[in-house]
Amino acid sequence: YNLTAKQWVQNYAQEKDIKAQIKKLMEMGFPEDVCAEALERYDGDENLALNFLLVDDEIMNKICTIDKYLSYLGFWGFG
């Protein structure tokens, strides 16, 4: 029983927690894929993931590029 319960928590309960963490980071303005990447990199530690999102140049360049692209599409009436 204990093994089954542990496996259930690992497979299902944590997935909801990860989705909530991704949503929380997305509410701060980060894209979903970038949030998921940061949380995966730091094993679900929100503080480390947020720090990574805020200070990593590669991530900031990716975000800025996406933002510029979306602004461009909006300008031309596609967004």
Side-chain angles (χ1 to χ4, degrees):
Y1 171 79
N2 288 337
L3 179 60
T4 303
K6 182 178 179 181
Q7 288 175 338
W8 185 89
V9 168
Q10 289 174 340
N11 292 333
Y12 301 105
Q14 290 181 354
E15 184 175 327
K16 289 181 183 177
D17 193 36
I18 294 289
K19 288 180 181 180
Q21 290 175 310
I22 290 172
K23 183 179 177 186
K24 195 182 296 185
L25 292 173
M26 287 176 61
E27 288 171 354
M28 295 179 200
F30 298 103
E32 182 176 4
D33 62 327
V34 175
C35 295
E37 177 185 336
L39 286 165
E40 183 178 328
R41 181 178 285 214
Y42 292 102
D43 297 321
D45 186 315
E46 284 182 51
N47 291 324
L48 291 176
L50 179 57
N51 187 57
F52 172 72
L53 292 171
L54 293 172
V55 301
D56 188 88
D57 289 337
E58 182 181 329
I59 294 296
M60 290 307 288
N61 288 336
K62 187 185 290 188
I63 291 168
C64 290
T65 301
I66 291 169
D67 187 47
K68 288 177 186 175
Y69 179 71
L70 292 176
S71 294
Y72 177 79
L73 289 177
F75 177 77
W76 291 102
F78 295 106

